[in-house]
């Protein structure tokens, strides 16, 4: 998770939302990336998506060989990133903090159809405080109503 936090810090220095992610197969790092949504001026350049795009063939080969795939990320994946995790057969996602706007843990794979019957297991809390502080720094710098609302929601996550 420390590598994901380092990538989140890099993201923050480039005025992107501070999110970093690391893909691991059976304990070996496959790749790491940071959020580049603002830098690239698109909605797809989330840290997780950039990893899936770059390492899709590596993930496919690793799954065929029976490896366990884990994604470490500083923020719970959004619906797009969570769906991509399912498509790439990621076994486990370890998120430093839940996303109060996302709540992917409520998705029930058995209600989505046969292809999605094996969703990644979600775990929260590893390095929560460090991730929370980066997010707080970003949102306070934004200084607008949307950022203040998001920060308030994160305060609720912190309490739980």
């Amino acid at each position: 998770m420390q590598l994901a936090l380092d990538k989140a810090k890099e993201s923050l220095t480039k005025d992107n939302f501070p999110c970093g992610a690391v893909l691991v197969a059976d304990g070996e790092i496959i790749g790491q990336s940071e959020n580049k949504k603002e830098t690239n001026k698109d909605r797809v350049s989330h840290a997780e998506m950039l990893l899936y795009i770059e390492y899709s063939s590596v993930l496919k080969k690793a799954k065929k060989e029976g490896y366990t795939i884990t994604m470490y990320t500083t923020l719970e994946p959004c619906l797009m990133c969570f769906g991509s995790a399912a498509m790439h057969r990621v076994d486990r996602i370890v998120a430093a903090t839940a996303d109060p706007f996302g709540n992917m843990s409520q998705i029930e794979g058995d209600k989505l159809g046969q292809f999605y019957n094996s969703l990644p297991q979600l775990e929260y809390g590893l390095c929560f405080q460090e991730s929370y502080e980066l997010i707080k720094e970003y949102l306070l710098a934004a200084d607008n109503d949307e950022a203040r609302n998001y920060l308030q929601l994160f305060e609720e996550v912190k309490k739980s």
Side-chain angles (χ1 to χ4, degrees):
M1 183 63 81
Q2 188 57 54
L3 288 175
L5 284 166
D6 292 344
K7 298 308 278 184
K9 290 173 188 172
E10 283 182 40
S11 184
L12 183 61
T13 65
K14 299 170 187 166
D15 296 326
N16 290 295
F17 188 91
C19 184
V22 177
L23 264 175
V24 175
D26 277 359
E28 297 293 322
I29 295 171
I30 294 174
Q32 50 189 308
S33 188
E34 76 269 5
N35 178 32
K36 295 180 180 176
K37 191 176 147 205
E38 300 304 322
T39 301
N40 293 350
K41 298 185 182 356
D42 66 41
R43 295 183 177 267
V44 184
S45 293
H46 295 192
E48 301 93 337
M49 289 302 295
L50 294 171
L51 285 171
Y52 297 135
I53 291 165
E54 185 171 351
Y55 297 101
S56 185
S57 62
V58 174
L59 288 170
K60 185 175 181 179
K61 182 179 180 200
K63 285 312 284 183
K64 281 185 178 179
E65 293 176 6
Y67 291 172
T68 299
I69 308 295
T70 302
M71 169 73 75
Y72 291 90
T73 182
T74 57
L75 178 66
E76 175 184 33
C78 68
L79 182 59
M80 172 181 65
C81 295
F82 190 73
S84 286
M87 298 286 291
H88 285 90
R89 302 294 187 234
V90 171
D91 299 287
R92 183 171 151 239
I93 297 172
V94 180
T97 181
D99 182 350
F101 281 148
N103 205 6
M104 293 297 103
S105 65
Q106 298 304 309
I107 293 178
E108 298 176 33
D110 59 340
K111 296 193 167 133
L112 296 175
Q114 187 175 5
F115 190 75
Y116 296 99
N117 62 3
S118 180
L119 295 177
Q121 172 190 345
L122 278 164
E123 300 172 23
Y124 301 98
L126 184 61
C127 299
F128 169 83
Q129 191 62 39
E130 295 92 330
S131 181
Y132 168 79
E133 292 299 330
L134 290 171
I135 292 167
K136 183 177 175 181
E137 181 180 339
Y138 177 84
L139 294 173
L140 287 173
D143 194 30
N144 61 52
D145 288 340
E146 183 179 4
R148 282 187 283 280
N149 180 45
Y150 200 44
L151 183 57
Q152 186 175 1
L153 291 172
F154 266 104
E155 293 292 337
E156 293 301 317
V157 167
K158 187 177 179 187
K159 290 177 188 174
S160 60

